[in-house]
Amino acid sequence: MSTFSVSRHKFYHASRLVRFLARDGRTYYGDAILPRGVTDISKSKSARVIAGDIFGQHRVTDQVVDIRLLLPPLAPSDVGTVRCLGLNYADHAKETGMAQPKFPILFYKPPTALAGPADAVPVHPMAQEGSGLDYECELVVVIGKRCTDVPESEALDCVFGYAVGNDVSHRDWQIKHGGSQWSHGKGFDGWAPYGPGIVSARVLGDPQKLKIWTKVNGETRQNGTTADMIFGVKKTIALLSRGVTLMPGDVIFTGTPAGVAMGRKPPVWLKDGDVVEVGLQDVGTCTNKVEFARPKSKI
């Protein structure tokens, strides 16, 4: 019989947490101020500064600061592990020709893969070998409390908030080279842009009722809903926390719906200069340009 363990300290969420470079040249955590009728955090021009520990005692101040650039929502020092699920939508498993999993397919990305909602996606010369550069829009879960062996009924209590992310992937390195090199084919620097902020769990509500999409150069490539996840957020947290402690700042990419480049016939891989937008209902969009790195000259 397992015993559910969770840290019970109280913390106070901003509604829409952003981390940003301000026009005064300083970096802040803030609560995004959105134009009336707008839910896309990327459209915010200013935020109320947050004072304190975002995963502990903090408060939203009355200080309003103009946003110059939205950064990755969590500072590197606040990020724990970056877990990712593969084949977590039935339609995506079908389009790849892979069996629908009975348990979550788990892999990890290094924290250096995380990038901001407007950052370029750098493609190292190694990732230009062969073909297979792909996009994957994903609901991203940020854990807010230390927890272990969490029952599904309590799982959402452990969530700090939600973002949208792009699990950028190189299919040759992921699948062909060496056999199932998932972390290698998906773990290059900057290959997990996410944001544009983190909408608190209390504001977003049910995470299984959200539209999610990808556009490449303005063309819709993916158009799904989180209702179609094989392992929803509750089940994912419950399974990933069995015998494993989840920590504040742990980030979970929860898989992608159908429509990836690999699933098209013929595949339509990303190329240098493409602009990829991933979006999530009531959260916002990340818009990232693909930039192929040039080989460094040898002297």
Side-chain angles (χ1 to χ4, degrees):
M1 180 177 179
S2 62
T3 302
F4 169 42
S5 174
V6 61
S7 172
R8 294 297 184 185
H9 70 272
K10 190 174 182 180
F11 53 90
Y12 302 92
H13 284 173
S15 295
R16 294 173 176 84
L17 179 82
V18 289
R19 181 171 158 267
F20 63 97
L21 177 65
R23 297 193 182 278
D24 63 10
R26 298 176 61 187
T27 297
Y28 297 92
Y29 274 117
D31 192 7
I33 300 173
L34 297 179
R36 185 181 298 274
V38 173
T39 59
D40 185 344
I41 294 175
S42 71
K43 306 300 183 185
S44 60
K45 303 297 183 183
S46 61
R48 294 181 177 85
V49 172
I50 293 173
D53 176 4
I54 60 165
F55 291 117
Q57 297 290 342
H58 68 264
R59 63 187 180 89
V60 179
T61 71
D62 293 329
Q63 180 185 1
V64 176
V65 177
D66 289 337
I67 296 172
R68 178 180 171 187
L69 177 67
L70 288 172
L71 302 173
L74 296 179
S77 59
D78 289 324
V79 174
T81 60
V82 183
R83 294 173 171 86
C84 307
L85 299 190
L87 301 178
N88 196 25
Y89 286 71
D91 57 358
H92 175 53
K94 182 178 180 180
E95 74 174 347
T96 63
M98 300 181 187
Q100 186 171 320
K102 295 181 179 180
F103 297 94
I105 295 175
L106 175 66
F107 63 96
Y108 289 77
K109 289 200 178 202
T112 50
L114 294 176
D119 291 344
V121 175
V123 182
H124 187 275
M126 180 179 177
Q128 297 174 38
E129 299 171 7
S131 61
L133 189 61
D134 211 340
Y135 50 83
E136 294 188 5
C137 60
E138 308 207 2
L139 167 69
V140 177
V141 178
V142 179
I143 298 297
K145 299 178 182 180
R146 178 186 175 114
C147 53
T148 311
D149 292 326
V150 184
E152 288 186 37
S153 61
E154 303 286 345
L156 295 187
D157 294 338
C158 302
V159 175
F160 182 78
Y162 303 94
V164 65
N166 185 358
D167 174 17
V168 182
S169 307
H170 191 286
R171 303 304 185 184
D172 276 8
W173 280 111
Q174 177 193 356
I175 299 169
K176 291 183 180 180
H177 301 327
S180 295
Q181 298 277 8
W182 285 53
S183 288
H184 195 73
K186 293 169 170 277
F188 289 94
D189 287 353
W191 279 29
Y194 75 120
I198 300 172
V199 178
S200 75
R202 63 178 172 79
V203 169
L204 193 69
D206 187 351
Q208 306 305 155
K209 296 181 178 180
L210 305 173
K211 295 178 182 178
I212 188 167
W213 65 90
T214 297
K215 296 180 180 180
V216 178
N217 301 327
E219 177 193 358
T220 299
R221 297 281 185 87
Q222 292 180 280
N223 188 16
T225 169
T226 58
D228 292 337
M229 289 168 63
I230 298 170
F231 305 102
V233 175
K234 292 180 181 180
K235 187 175 288 293
T236 294
I237 291 174
L239 285 167
L240 296 186
S241 68
R242 291 181 66 181
V244 177
T245 300
L246 304 182
M247 297 293 291
D250 282 359
V251 175
I252 305 171
F253 280 65
T254 60
T256 196
V260 298
M262 178 173 63
R264 292 174 172 260
K265 300 186 186 308
V268 183
W269 305 120
L270 294 175
K271 60 185 184 300
D272 189 23
D274 281 348
V275 176
V276 183
E277 174 191 304
V278 294
L280 181 66
Q281 179 183 346
D282 296 332
V283 173
T285 55
C286 298
T287 304
N288 308 92
K289 185 177 181 180
V290 176
E291 291 189 356
F292 280 31
R294 304 294 178 250
K296 295 180 180 179
S297 60
K298 296 181 179 179
I299 300 175

